[in-house]
């Protein structure tokens, strides 16, 4: 049996290839939209992608399942669980719906479908057996059901997709799924989840790539609750302390359910002159500037947003940019960098990139230097906007600050003042650079606190409030 894990560090997202080397067939689980990585690996291993599947309707990124299945003419296998409102509403060639207990073969590799609701009602997991070695399961691909050190949060639908108290039913389902579809498996079965540390799909995901059924059952925070059949204690702890959910999750969930756009063959991005870029930006196109925040502060182009690479371009783009609002340009030093940035934006459904410009030279720019904590008092009447997570805010915040997670700013513009300055900060200055530049591009009077709350606490420790 062939096995490989693919991992996107930005969104902390894992996808997998499982193959039978004897028959030359392979399955890809939870693929991203940049499908070339799977095509290249399959070719390198002399495998054919014959099956593509998803563990659930994803909310944090746009799935590449349909794209990969069409490109390879593979069977596209998706959940048929969850009930009304949770079915895939689109059809595509070779699409097949899966129910709990279904099995299929990828060469000599057997895959059994387990319905594991909790994170979402339609969630399924895949229990894999390498049949030449024996009938026993060896790997469990759990999606957002069980992570390393945590389990999938059941409140995302309430937090980001307009649900009403779905968290309580989700928590109940999760408890039942753990009791019936996890802890009764052999302890040695390897667990390979869809996310790692840094994902907002849980609150305490581990950094190592995999775990085992036995380890999680015996040592996870939830294990004792399941062992003691304490559903209420489990629910209380599961729902407490979950981080803010970015509101773009609602768009991702809808697009993945109703059918994401197929990219197909994509033409190279055109390079624009400074004059052409200025004209497009005057007409409403936004420039995505991936330089460091220091470089951006020194020369910020008009109608631009600063998404410093390489760490969080996809995450922050999902947080702040809405493809239905406008088209986008990229600032990139080369055509190769532009294509790399473009492919990363596909992860969060930002397909409408219309070109790139190599330099800020010739663009309309201005300096936007951050201010020091001591200067905040000079801006009487300003709104101090804390774009950190609510749990960070509760641990300590600037007196009078309003907390609004950066992943919610783009949906709350009508609640922010345009008649007075907004002083933006996060923990250290990275997230606030993105949020402040976005607000500036939307016409708000924006300032940033240099070094964020960490710098404020260091310079003015007596001026910190804690909830």
């Amino acid at each position: 049996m062939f096995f490989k894990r693919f991992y996107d560090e930005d969104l902390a997202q894992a996808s997998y290839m499982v193959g039978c080397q004897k028959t030359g067939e392979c399955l890809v689980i939870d693929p991203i939209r940049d499908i070339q990585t799977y095509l290249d690996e399959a070719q390198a291993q002399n495998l054919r992608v014959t099956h593509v599947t998803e563990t659930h309707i994803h909310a944090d990124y746009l799935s590449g399942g349909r794209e990969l299945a069409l490109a390879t003419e593979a069977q596209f296998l998706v959940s048929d669980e969850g009930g009304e409102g949770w079915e895939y509403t689109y059809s595509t060639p070779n699409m097949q719906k899966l129910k709990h207990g279904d099995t299929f073969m990828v060469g000599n590799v057997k895959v059994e479908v387990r319905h594991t609701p909790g994170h979402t009602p339609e969630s399924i997991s895949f229990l894999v057996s390498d049949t030449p070695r024996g009938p026993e399961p060896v790997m469990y691909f759990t999606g957002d059901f069980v992570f390393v050190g945590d389990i999938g949060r059941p409140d995302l639908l309430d937090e980001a997709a307009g649900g009403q108290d779905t968290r309580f039913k989700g928590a109940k389902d999760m408890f039942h799924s753990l009791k019936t579809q996890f802890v009764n498996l052999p302890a040695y079965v390897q667990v390979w989840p869809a996310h790692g540390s840094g994902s907002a799909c849980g609150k305490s995901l581990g950094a190592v790539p995999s775990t085992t059924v036995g380890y999680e059952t015996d040592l996870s925070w939830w294990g004792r609750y399941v062992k003691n059949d304490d559903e209420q204690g489990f629910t209380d702890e599961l729902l407490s302390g979950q981080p803010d959910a970015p509101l773009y999750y609602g768009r991702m969930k809808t697009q993945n359910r109703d059918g994401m756009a197929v990219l197909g063959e994509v033409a190279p991005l055109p390079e624009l002159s400074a004059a052409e870029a200025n004209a497009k930006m005057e007409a409403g196109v936004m420039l995505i500037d991936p330089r460091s925040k220091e470089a951006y502060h020194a020369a910020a182009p008009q109608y631009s947003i600063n998404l410093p690479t390489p760490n969080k371009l996809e995450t922050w783009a999902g947080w702040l940019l809405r493809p239905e609002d406008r088209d986008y340009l990229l600032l990139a030093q080369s055509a190769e960098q532009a294509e790399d940035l473009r492919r990363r934006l596909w992860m969060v459904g930002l397909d409408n990139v219309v070109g790139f410009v190599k330099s800020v030279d010739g663009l309309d720019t201005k300096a936007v230097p951050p201010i020091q904590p001591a200067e905040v008092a000079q801006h009487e009447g300003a709104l101090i906007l804390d774009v950190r997570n609510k749990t960070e805010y509760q641990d300590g915040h600037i007196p009078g600050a309003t907390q609004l997670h950066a992943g919610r700013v783009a949906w709350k513009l009508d609640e922010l003042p345009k008649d007075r300055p907004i002083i933006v900060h996060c923990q250290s200055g990275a997230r606030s650079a993105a949020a402040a530049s976005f607000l500036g591009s939307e016409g708000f009077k924006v300032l940033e606190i240099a070094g964020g709350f960490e710098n404020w606490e260091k310079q003015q420790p007596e001026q910190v409030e804690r909830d």
Side-chain angles (χ1 to χ4, degrees):
M1 185 177 79
F2 173 79
F3 168 74
K4 182 164 182 176
R5 176 179 184 258
F6 304 84
Y7 197 68
D8 181 277
E9 295 285 350
D10 191 332
L11 292 174
Q13 185 270 344
S15 55
Y16 301 94
M17 180 179 286
V18 178
C20 175
Q21 291 156 317
K22 183 174 182 179
T23 65
E25 301 168 74
C26 71
L27 159 72
V28 179
I29 302 170
D30 289 333
I32 62 173
R33 291 178 87 203
D34 186 3
I35 65 171
Q36 194 59 48
T37 185
Y38 310 110
L39 300 177
D40 291 345
E41 186 62 32
Q43 183 178 38
Q45 301 297 331
N46 293 316
L47 297 172
R48 306 182 317 280
V49 178
T50 56
H51 299 74
V52 178
T53 194
E54 297 176 354
T55 53
H56 62 294
I57 300 172
H58 299 285
D60 52 320
Y61 72 98
L62 205 55
S63 169
R66 184 185 193 184
E67 188 89 26
L68 182 58
L70 287 172
T72 59
E73 299 183 349
Q75 291 186 44
F76 185 35
L77 310 171
V78 297
S79 175
D80 195 25
E81 298 284 2
E84 185 178 355
W86 300 105
E87 302 98 340
Y88 289 76
T89 63
Y90 69 96
S91 61
T92 196
N94 300 321
M95 193 174 190
Q96 180 180 337
K97 302 293 183 67
L98 298 174
K99 290 284 193 182
H100 177 78
D102 287 348
T103 62
F104 59 94
M105 300 295 294
V106 182
N108 293 316
V109 176
K110 180 182 177 183
V111 183
E112 180 183 347
V113 179
R114 296 286 186 100
H115 182 212
T116 51
H119 176 65
T120 61
E122 82 289 353
S123 173
I124 54 178
S125 300
F126 300 104
L127 197 58
V128 171
S129 302
D130 185 12
T131 61
R133 290 193 171 191
E136 297 81 8
V138 292
M139 307 177 88
Y140 201 20
F141 295 93
T142 52
D144 290 16
F145 169 34
V146 175
F147 299 124
V148 178
D150 204 0
I151 49 179
R153 60 189 294 185
D155 64 323
L156 279 182
L157 307 177
D158 291 349
E159 287 288 303
Q164 295 293 324
D165 293 334
T166 63
R167 65 189 69 201
F168 302 110
K169 175 65 162 58
K172 185 179 184 69
D173 287 345
M174 179 64 77
F175 189 77
H176 182 262
S177 292
L178 289 168
K179 285 183 64 175
T180 63
Q181 304 302 328
F182 192 83
V183 300
N184 53 359
L185 292 172
Y188 59 78
V189 171
Q190 299 173 26
V191 174
W192 294 92
H195 293 290
S197 178
S199 169
C201 292
K203 58 183 175 180
S204 57
L205 281 68
V208 297
S210 69
T211 183
T212 65
V213 167
Y215 190 91
E216 295 305 312
T217 298
D218 292 341
L219 298 175
S220 66
W221 68 261
W222 54 262
R224 67 183 185 276
Y225 293 108
V226 173
K227 187 177 297 184
N228 296 330
D229 203 28
D230 182 1
E231 184 176 321
Q232 188 58 55
F234 169 86
T235 298
D236 293 343
E237 184 160 347
L238 176 59
L239 296 180
S240 68
Q242 292 287 0
D244 291 301
L247 292 185
Y248 84 93
Y249 281 12
R251 172 172 63 86
M252 293 288 93
K253 193 80 176 176
T254 300
Q255 286 182 269
N256 282 324
R257 182 194 65 194
D258 297 343
M260 66 297 296
V262 176
L263 295 165
E265 293 292 328
V266 180
L269 285 174
E271 180 184 348
L272 305 182
S273 67
E276 290 170 326
N278 279 328
K280 282 192 175 294
M281 288 188 284
E282 287 288 347
V285 177
M286 179 180 282
L287 178 70
I288 298 175
D289 186 338
R291 294 176 299 160
S292 69
K293 63 181 186 291
E294 292 80 11
Y296 186 87
H297 289 150
Q302 289 193 67
Y303 315 111
S304 67
I305 182 171
N306 183 212
L307 303 179
T309 55
N311 295 328
K312 290 294 180 182
L313 178 87
E314 298 158 25
T315 297
W316 293 339
W319 283 2
L320 295 163
L321 303 182
R322 303 173 69 175
E324 64 270 24
D325 288 349
R326 52 165 60 91
D327 289 335
Y328 297 92
L329 291 174
L330 297 173
L331 178 63
Q333 296 177 348
S334 65
E336 291 75 19
Q337 186 192 17
E339 288 300 328
D340 176 67
L341 296 175
R342 177 198 210 180
R343 289 172 179 272
R344 292 176 64 184
L345 293 172
W346 289 347
M347 289 284 288
V348 290
L350 287 164
D351 300 346
N352 48 332
V353 176
V354 296
F356 75 99
V357 61
K358 283 186 175 179
S359 171
V360 298
D361 294 342
L363 301 184
D364 297 328
T365 65
K366 65 177 180 180
V368 287
I371 63 174
Q372 292 298 319
E375 298 177 74
V376 170
Q378 300 173 17
H379 300 275
E380 187 175 354
L383 171 68
I384 301 176
L385 188 64
D386 186 333
V387 296
R388 297 177 300 163
N389 196 295
K390 60 188 174 185
T391 55
E392 295 174 288
Y393 179 86
Q394 291 163 358
D395 288 341
H397 57 267
I398 297 172
T402 296
Q403 188 269 335
L404 177 62
H405 185 269
R408 296 174 172 232
V409 167
W411 284 261
K412 303 291 184 179
L413 295 180
D414 59 350
E415 299 177 17
L416 299 176
K418 282 199 171 180
D419 59 348
R420 56 192 174 113
I422 300 176
I423 301 175
V424 183
H425 77 88
C426 61
Q427 187 68 13
S428 63
R431 285 169 286 178
S432 60
S437 64
F438 170 75
L439 289 172
S441 74
E442 293 289 333
F444 292 88
K445 303 171 186 176
V446 183
L447 298 166
E448 291 177 62
I449 298 177
F453 181 73
E454 287 180 357
N455 193 27
W456 176 282
E457 190 173 33
K458 179 179 179 181
Q459 293 193 23
Q460 303 182 137
E462 72 284 355
Q463 296 189 43
V464 172
E465 290 185 350
R466 304 185 193 279
D467 291 349

